[in-house]
Structure formats: structure tokens, C-alpha cells
């Protein structure tokens, strides 16, 4: 019997078999595969980024009637949005609103880290009665913000309009993103053996958790933080219903700018959001690179 | 280093016993191997010594002191795992120094001692690298250096070579054996690889179903197995019923010379594959399967009474093939008999 797995003879079977044979002969992976995948990725990125770039560019234009904005360069749209110049749309307290929103979103993110990381750890590390239910409950809050908000103010009416209510609500609403990303990090390591190594070397359990386990899950924690912060900062439904009085949260600021202002002012408001998100992502990634070293050299 | 004793240790999960009434002693400076099939209680024994399992009954003692209820972080044991379990958020040197930091050793001294150990293991050049960038063999060396850095009461090695390629395993085995001997480390070496245990350990404990079948030197375990389980588990063995009369051993289907055996030795002969003498005239077997092992040829042969035995062939007999007759005798000098 001869091994004909590398035969150069064309198979006599169906057209599909012949196609696979031909692709194999062409070594598609090396010649076409990589450039093809790169092209698809680039096209997708361009497709996703063009609207963002166009919006940011338009925020510095004086007119935007067709596809391409015209009449550069002006800062008037930004000035109006940031409350430094009179114009149409919402007024006053923009900067304090932005700061308030950033703080509330950060509060929600920190609460998520404090609660979500231990939950993700327990779900990965231990087997216990009802684990599947806890797993389901941890992911359940991925419900529309409006649903949670109605339930929230019915259950905790005294928290309506308070910043604590917003922090807890944001944390609850976005917690699945933290739990799932951190759980994924924990699942990629041998948690039990890493923990036991550290403890055998003299570290108590809390110290092991804080100086070995958590830093080893930093990629998941950073990813979870970026997602929960970004989504909390822009969460409109929950914010709208819980309705804090003053200052105005960022999501409502965005809504009012987009719904009541001219399109170029909306573009400036959206650009403010993208700028803040960009700064937060860079900050969190920087913390991820340098902020988890636990033992000095 | 310390001597470590397990006194009648039992560990049950619900009603199922993982280990049952184990008595074991690892002497100061000794390397004790623990071998046995999967699920026999090897890892439970190791985890009990480390403090990660609390015995249902019995006691664990370090130098005679009862440490049964002492938490793992206060036992000062070194652990080396198959999966290395290195801390990826720290450099190699930081990993090695971690235990020293927990002991409150100053930063400069930690670094100095970490580098010393890395030099001892020949990986000082990797001190500032991330564990993620190392090969399996390098990671295992780092894990070993980290465990040794704290000068543990006992070093516990849980299948440390599993997953490494054969060539690297052989090299590491020799290095580790020399290192443990040089540092006079008390160690418990859990493995399913009996050859590894024979090379590495001063004594070996054979576990089966949560109990100890035999503890002895590698030679004792191989040549004087306490029972059929040990004979079957350690090396390859053939068990043949025998009756000794008038200087002959009656095997039922044939008789062989009873060199060194007396009538008191009636029972079951533990015949290793190399105890058979190909070309002998005592009886004739038929080759059924043939395996080329490089250093010898091993065959599975059928005896006249239908039993199958494993036989190592040398010389001209290596050319025996399935279906061919194989004349055999048995070398009974020093052969072990189970009564």
C-alpha cells in the first residue's frame, strides 16, 4: 500500500473535493489568506471609525449639510456645548456635570471591581451548591436600564435622585461585564495551584488574593473596568428615570445636546464623550501596565 | 530540614476515603517517592502534609511536633507543581524572592539569595525575565528555586516532570537528584512514573486505593514486592503458580530447576521478563506479539497451559516473530516468591 496523501493527481470526486484540492495546491493560507484577513479587518475598522472621525471633524466646522462637513476651523460648537458661549440648547453647569458624571461612573466601576472580582473568583475557584444559579444571577442584570431603573426606584425610593443611587445602579447594571471578563481571566490560570504556591511560601489568604491572584487577572479587570465605566458614563435610560436633580449627569447632557441642539453642537457634544472615553481608556491601560506590580525589584 | 511523619492519617470526602490509616515517615534529608495509580491518594497525601487538607483522623508531625491544624502558610513547606504555578505578575527573581519577602527578609538580601539560587540552577540570566517567556524546563527550574528559597521543612514535588519531553525529563531528573542530595533536602516526590521514582528517591511508598502497599528502597520494591499489586505496578512481572519438590519447581505445565528455592517457597513466582532464558529446554512457548523497544525486543508469549507471559529476548532470539515457537527456561536464582 502506498501513502498517496500528498498525491499530485486530481481527485475524480465531486466539484467540492476538486475545489479543496485546488486550494490546497495553491497554498491559499500563505498567498491569499493573510492579505484577505488584513483587508477585511481594515475595511471593518474604517467602516466603524469613519462616523466617529466625521463627527469629531464636523464639530470644528461651520456647516454640515452633505456627507462632508465644511467651513473650518471654529471652536464655537465646543464653546457652546461646554457652556463658554451662549447658544441654542442646554445651559450652564456643563463642566460640573461632566465631573459629576465621571465621578459617578468611576464609583460604579470601583464598586464593580470590589464586588465583581471576588464573585468571579468564587465562581471559578470553588464548587458549591447553587453555583449555576449564582452564575446566572451574576449575569442577569444585563437587562435594559429602564427595566432595572423602574425596579430600583420602586424598591429603594429614597435613593431616587441621589448620586449613591446612580453609583449602585450603574454598578448593578454593568456588573455582568466585569464578572464575565474577570472570570475569563481566572479561567485561563490554574487558580488553585497558584494560590497554594503562594500560601505555602508564607502568604496569608488575603495577601495571596491581593498580591498574586488579583494582579494576575489584571487584563480582565482592566477590560471590565473600561467597559463598565464607558457604558455607565453613557447610560441614559437608568439615569433618566432615577433623575438626579443637579448637577446634570453626562448621559442627560448628551441627550439634551443631541435632541435639542443644532447638528454641529451635537457633534461637539458627542466629541466630548469620545474624548473623555479615550482619556479614561488610556488611563486605565496605563494603570494596567504599571499599577499591578506588587513586589519591588 | 525536618523529618516528617504521618500517623494513621485518614482523609474522607463524605463517606469516601481518599487515604485510609496511612503511616509514613520521611527522614531528615531523605527523598521519599510516592507512586501508585491515578486516584490512589498520592496527591491527597502531599496536600495533607502541605496543610491544604485537614485529616479526618490521624496526625501530621514535623520533627515530632504536631502540625495537623497549623495553616499552610505557617508550615514552611516548598511546593513544586506540574503546572509550575509561577506568578506571572512578577519577574523570575521576584518569584524566587516571594517567600523570603513573606518571611520579612530585606530587599537586598532577598535579591542576593534569589540570584544565588538561580545560579545554582543555572538560570541566573533569566532573573529579570517574565515567567511567561520561559520554556517548560526553565519554568520548572524557577518553581524549584522558589520552593527552595525558603529553606523548607520539606519539599513537596507533585509530578514535577510530567509534561516535559523525554530528553529534558532525563536531564532534569539527574540535575534535581544531585541538587536535592547536595542541599540535603527532605523531600516527598509524587509521581506516576516509576522509573523517575527509582532514579530520584531513596525510598518509595507504593499506594493503592488509599492505603500503603509497601515502603522500601527502589531495589526492595522491584526485587522483593510485598504482594501482587506491587509486583504488577512496579516494572513488568509474570506471576506463575509453583510447587517446589525434590529440587524442581513444578509450574503445572513444566518443571524448572529450583536453584535457591526450597519447599517452603511454594506459592507464586514473580518472574520478571528478563528472568526467562530464551533457548532453554524446560518448556516451549509460542510468540504472539513482538515489540521492538530499542534496547531489547519484548514478546508476549503463550505458555503450554494457555497463560500469557512477557519475555525479554536477546541475541539471536530477538528475531523471533509471532507464531514461532520459543524454547524457554526460567532463572530461579534470587527469584521472588509470594506465599
Amino acid at each position: 500500500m502506498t501513502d498517496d496523501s500528498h498525491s499530485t493527481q486530481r481527485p475524480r470526486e465531486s466539484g467540492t473535493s476538486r475545489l479543496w484540492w485546488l486550494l490546497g495546491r495553491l497554498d491559499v493560507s500563505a498567498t491569499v489568506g493573510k492579505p484577505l484577513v488584513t483587508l477585511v479587518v481594515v475595511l471593518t475598522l474604517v467602516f466603524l471609525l469613519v462616523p466617529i472621525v466625521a463627527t469629531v471633524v464636523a464639530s470644528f466646522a461651520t456647516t454640515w449639510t452633505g456627507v462632508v462637513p465644511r467651513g473650518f476651523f471654529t471652536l464655537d460648537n465646543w464653546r457652546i456645548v461646554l457652556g463658554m458661549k451662549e447658544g441654542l440648547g442646554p445651559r450652564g453647569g456643563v463642566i460640573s456635570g461632566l465631573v459629576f458624571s465621571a465621578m459617578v461612573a468611576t464609583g460604579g466601576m470601583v464598586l464593580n471591581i470590589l464586588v465583581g472580582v471576588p464573585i468571579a473568583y468564587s465562581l471559578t475557584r470553588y464548587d458549591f451548591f447553587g453555583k449555576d444559579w449564582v452564575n446566572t444571577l451574576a449575569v442577569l442584570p444585563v437587562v435594559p436600564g429602564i427595566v432595572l431603573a423602574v425596579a430600583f426606584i420602586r424598591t429603594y425610593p429614597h435613593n431616587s435622585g441621589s448620586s449613591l443611587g446612580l453609583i449602585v445602579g450603574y454598578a448593578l447594571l454593568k456588573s455582568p461585564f466585569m464578572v464575565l471578563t474577570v472570570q475569563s481571566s481566572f479561567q485561563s490560570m490554574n487558580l488553585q495551584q497558584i494560590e497554594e504556591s503562594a500560601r505555602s511560601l508564607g502568604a496569608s489568604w488575603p495577601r495571596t488574593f491581593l498580591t498574586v491572584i488579583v494582579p494576575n487577572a489584571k487584563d480582565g479587570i482592566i477590560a471590565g473596568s473600561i467597559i463598565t465605566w464607558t457604558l455607565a458614563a453613557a447610560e441614559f435610560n437608568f439615569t433618566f428615570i432615577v433623575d438626579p436633580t443637579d448637577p446634570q449627569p453626562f448621559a442627560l447632557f448628551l441627550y439634551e445636546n443631541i435632541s435639542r441642539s443644532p447638528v454641529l453642537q451635537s457633534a461637539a457634544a458627542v466629541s466630548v464623550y469620545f474624548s473623555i472615553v479615550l482619556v479614561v481608556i488610556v488611563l486605565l491601560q496605563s494603570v494596567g501596565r504599571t499599577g499591578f506590580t506588587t513586589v519591588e525589584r | 530540614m525536618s523529618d516528617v511523619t504521618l500517623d494513621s492519617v485518614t482523609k474522607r470526602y463524605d463517606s469516601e476515603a481518599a487515604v485510609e490509616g496511612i503511616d509514613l515517615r520521611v527522614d531528615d534529608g531523605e527523598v521519599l517517592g510516592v507512586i501508585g495509580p491515578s486516584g490512589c491518594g498520592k496527591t491527597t497525601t502531599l496536600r495533607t502534609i502541605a496543610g491544604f487538607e485537614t485529616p479526618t483522623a490521624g496526625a501530621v508531625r514535623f520533627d515530632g511536633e504536631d502540625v495537623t491544624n497549623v495553616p499552610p502558610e505557617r508550615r514552611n513547606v516548598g511546593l513544586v507543581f506540574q503546572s509550575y504555578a509561577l506568578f506571572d505578575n512578577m519577574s523570575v527573581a521576584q518569584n524566587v524572592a516571594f517567600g523570603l519577602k513573606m518571611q520579612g527578609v530585606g530587599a537586598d538580601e532577598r535579591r542576593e539569595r534569589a540570584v544565588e539560587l538561580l545560579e545554582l540552577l543555572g538560570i541566573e540570566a533569566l532573573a529579570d525575565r517574565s515567567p511567561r517567556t520561559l520554556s517548560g524546563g526553565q519554568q520548572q527550574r524557577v518553581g524549584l528555586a522558589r520552593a527552595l528559597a525558603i529553606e523548607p521543612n520539606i519539599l513537596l514535588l507533585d509530578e514535577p516532570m510530567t509534561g516535559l519531553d523525554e530528553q529534558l525529563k532525563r536531564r532534569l531528573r539527574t540535575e534535581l537528584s544531585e541538587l536535592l542530595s547536595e542541599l540535603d533536602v527532605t523531600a516527598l516526590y509524587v509521581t506516576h512514573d516509576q522509573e523517575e521514582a527509582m532514579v530520584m528517591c531513596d525510598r518509595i511508598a507504593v499506594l493503592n486505593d488509599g492505603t500503603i502497599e509497601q515502603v522500601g528502597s527502589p531495589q526492595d520494591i522491584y526485587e522483593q514486592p510485598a504482594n501482587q499489586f506491587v509486583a504488577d505496578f512496579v516494572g513488568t512481572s509474570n506471576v506463575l503458580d509453583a510447587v517446589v519438590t525434590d529440587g524442581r519447581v513444578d509450574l503445572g505445565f513444566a518443571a524448572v530447576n529450583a536453584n535457591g528455592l526450597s519447599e517452603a517457597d511454594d506459592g507464586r513466582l514473580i518472574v520478571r521478563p528478563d528472568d526467562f532464558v530464551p533457548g532453554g529446554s524446560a518448556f516451549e512457548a509460542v510468540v504472539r506479539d513482538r515489540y521492538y523497544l530499542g534496547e531489547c525486543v519484548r514478546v508476549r508469549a503463550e505458555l503450554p497451559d494457555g497463560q500469557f507471559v512477557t519475555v525479554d529476548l536477546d541475541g539471536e532470539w530477538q528475531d523471533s516473530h509471532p507464531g514461532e515457537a520459543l524454547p524457554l527456561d526460567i532463572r530461579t536464582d534470587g527469584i521472588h516468591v509470594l506465599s
Side-chain angles (χ1 to χ4, degrees):
Chain A
M1 225 168 114
T2 58
D3 175 12
D4 61 356
S5 60
H6 296 95
S7 166
T8 53
Q9 284 193 335
R10 287 178 69 171
R12 289 180 192 159
E13 299 101 31
S14 65
T16 317
S17 302
R18 251 181 260 130
L19 178 64
W20 287 124
W21 176 83
L22 188 65
L23 290 173
R25 299 276 299 158
L26 288 172
D27 194 7
V28 170
S29 172
T31 53
V32 186
K34 196 175 168 186
L36 190 68
V37 170
T38 310
L39 183 68
V40 170
V41 170
V42 169
L43 285 177
T44 309
L45 276 176
V46 167
F47 179 76
L48 292 172
L49 286 175
V50 160
I52 296 173
V53 173
T55 306
V56 174
V57 170
S59 71
F60 299 105
T62 50
T63 55
W64 193 10
T65 46
V67 176
V68 181
R70 296 172 197 284
F72 294 102
F73 171 92
T74 176
L75 288 174
D76 283 352
N77 301 315
W78 282 70
R79 285 201 190 101
I80 294 168
V81 164
L82 294 175
M84 293 186 281
K85 184 182 176 186
E86 289 290 310
L88 295 170
R91 300 269 188 284
V94 177
I95 299 297
S96 60
L98 288 178
V99 173
F100 171 71
S101 283
M103 287 174 69
V104 173
T106 305
M109 180 192 80
V110 170
L111 195 57
N112 254 321
I113 293 174
L114 293 177
V115 178
V117 174
I119 288 176
Y121 171 79
S122 307
L123 288 171
T124 315
R125 171 74 173 84
Y126 302 112
D127 281 320
F128 52 86
F129 177 76
K131 179 176 170 174
D132 289 344
W133 282 103
V134 175
N135 216 342
T136 308
L137 285 172
V139 183
L140 198 63
V142 192
V143 292
I146 194 163
V147 175
L148 189 72
V150 170
F152 192 82
I153 55 171
R154 282 280 164 200
T155 315
Y156 308 112
H158 54 282
N159 274 322
S160 179
S162 76
S163 39
L164 179 66
L166 280 181
I167 289 174
V168 174
Y170 287 162
L172 194 60
L173 200 60
K174 310 304 172 193
S175 64
F177 300 103
M178 181 62 80
V179 172
L180 289 173
T181 49
V182 178
Q183 210 176 348
S184 163
S185 273
F186 283 144
Q187 281 164 348
S188 68
M189 51 178 126
N190 191 329
L191 263 188
Q192 184 182 337
Q193 294 195 348
I194 287 177
E195 184 185 311
E196 289 181 354
S197 288
R199 293 196 66 196
S200 72
L201 293 166
S204 60
W205 186 86
R207 193 161 187 176
T208 299
F209 185 75
L210 293 173
T211 63
V212 177
I213 301 294
V214 169
N216 270 295
K218 72 171 183 181
D219 291 347
I221 295 172
I222 294 300
S225 301
I226 289 172
I227 297 171
T228 52
W229 194 95
T230 313
L231 292 180
E235 171 58 39
F236 172 75
N237 291 334
F238 185 86
T239 314
F240 184 75
I241 291 180
V242 172
D243 188 28
T245 47
D246 199 48
Q248 186 187 44
F250 189 64
L252 300 185
F253 157 82
L254 264 181
Y255 167 73
E256 290 193 5
N257 268 287
I258 292 168
S259 59
R260 295 188 201 168
S261 307
V263 66
L264 291 173
Q265 268 174 244
S266 301
V270 170
S271 301
V272 170
Y273 173 73
F274 283 131
S275 307
I276 292 173
V277 166
L278 193 66
V279 169
V280 169
I281 290 175
V282 170
L283 275 176
L284 287 173
Q285 283 181 335
S286 157
V287 168
R289 272 196 304 275
T290 59
F292 280 81
T293 302
T294 54
V295 178
E296 72 278 10
R297 285 173 188 272
Chain B
M1 304 296 162
S2 306
D3 62 72
V4 172
T5 314
L6 298 184
D7 280 342
S8 305
V9 165
T10 294
K11 177 66 189 176
R12 287 200 185 89
Y13 299 103
D14 298 324
S15 58
E16 201 172 323
V19 291
E20 183 80 59
I22 280 188
D23 289 303
L24 200 60
R25 182 184 164 85
V26 193
D27 290 325
D28 196 356
E30 179 188 41
V31 179
L32 179 79
V34 178
I35 62 172
S38 295
C40 70
K42 303 186 292 280
T43 298
T44 304
T45 306
L46 178 140
R47 289 171 54 78
T48 304
I49 295 174
F52 295 112
E53 301 288 354
T54 306
T56 313
V60 181
R61 297 180 208 285
F62 287 0
D63 279 335
E65 189 188 335
D66 191 340
V67 296
T68 313
N69 295 308
V70 174
E73 58 267 29
R74 284 172 39 210
R75 291 196 184 196
N76 197 38
V77 297
L79 266 174
V80 179
F81 289 110
Q82 176 191 336
S83 72
Y84 321 125
L86 300 180
F87 310 142
D88 287 341
N89 59 314
M90 302 176 196
S91 69
V92 164
Q94 287 168 347
N95 263 272
V96 177
F98 183 84
L100 298 173
K101 180 173 174 142
M102 297 302 114
Q103 290 177 348
V105 176
D108 291 342
E109 193 183 339
R110 286 204 301 266
R111 172 82 191 181
E112 198 178 309
R113 279 170 63 182
V115 171
E116 266 173 33
L117 268 165
L118 292 172
E119 276 172 2
L120 191 66
L121 285 150
I123 48 171
E124 67 275 19
L126 307 177
D128 293 318
R129 292 259 298 270
S130 161
R132 287 182 203 197
T133 63
L134 307 183
S135 68
Q138 289 170 333
Q139 289 194 54
Q140 199 53 285
R141 285 184 173 92
V142 176
L144 187 62
R146 185 178 67 178
L148 287 170
I150 58 169
E151 295 178 2
N153 287 320
I154 183 167
L155 180 66
L156 303 171
L157 302 116
D158 191 3
E159 311 240 9
M161 308 279 181
T162 309
L164 301 178
D165 66 72
E166 204 52 44
Q167 203 181 1
L168 178 61
K169 204 188 274 188
R170 257 184 255 130
R171 204 171 66 223
L172 263 182
R173 206 185 272 169
T174 314
E175 284 178 24
L176 180 57
S177 189
E178 285 170 3
L179 186 70
L180 295 180
S181 165
E182 186 185 327
L183 297 176
D184 199 24
V185 176
T186 307
L188 187 93
Y189 195 102
V190 167
T191 179
H192 65 273
D193 184 336
Q194 44 186 280
E195 188 187 324
E196 198 171 293
M198 294 224 175
V199 173
M200 299 283 311
C201 305
D202 301 312
R203 287 189 306 145
I204 294 174
V206 183
L207 258 69
N208 179 34
D209 218 5
T211 57
I212 294 178
E213 299 282 354
Q214 187 175 3
V215 183
S217 69
Q219 194 171 352
D220 283 346
I221 297 279
Y222 187 79
E223 293 181 1
Q224 309 284 323
N227 52 41
Q228 190 164 343
F229 174 81
V230 178
D232 286 340
F233 190 78
V234 181
T236 306
S237 64
N238 305 286
V239 182
L240 301 176
D241 288 331
V243 178
V244 183
T245 42
D246 300 331
R248 303 279 289 168
V249 181
D250 183 3
L251 299 169
F253 55 87
V256 297
N257 283 327
N259 303 332
L261 294 178
S262 68
E263 291 183 14
D265 290 326
D266 285 356
R268 285 167 297 161
L269 292 188
I270 303 297
V271 185
R272 298 291 183 184
D274 57 353
D275 286 332
F276 287 102
V277 183
S281 56
F283 56 92
E284 202 169 80
V286 178
V287 175
R288 292 300 180 203
D289 295 295
R290 179 179 186 273
Y291 312 101
Y292 178 71
L293 302 181
E295 288 162 7
C296 71
V297 167
R298 180 164 284 185
V299 295
R300 187 167 161 268
E302 188 175 353
L303 298 177
D305 66 349
Q307 284 188 79
F308 283 87
V309 289
T310 304
V311 181
D312 282 352
L313 302 178
D314 50 19
E316 59 185 290
W317 296 103
Q318 291 197 343
D319 285 335
S320 300
H321 285 86
E324 291 177 3
L326 179 65
L328 291 171
D329 199 346
I330 295 175
R331 198 182 293 120
T332 55
D333 311 24
I335 207 161
H336 186 59
V337 183
L338 294 176
S339 54

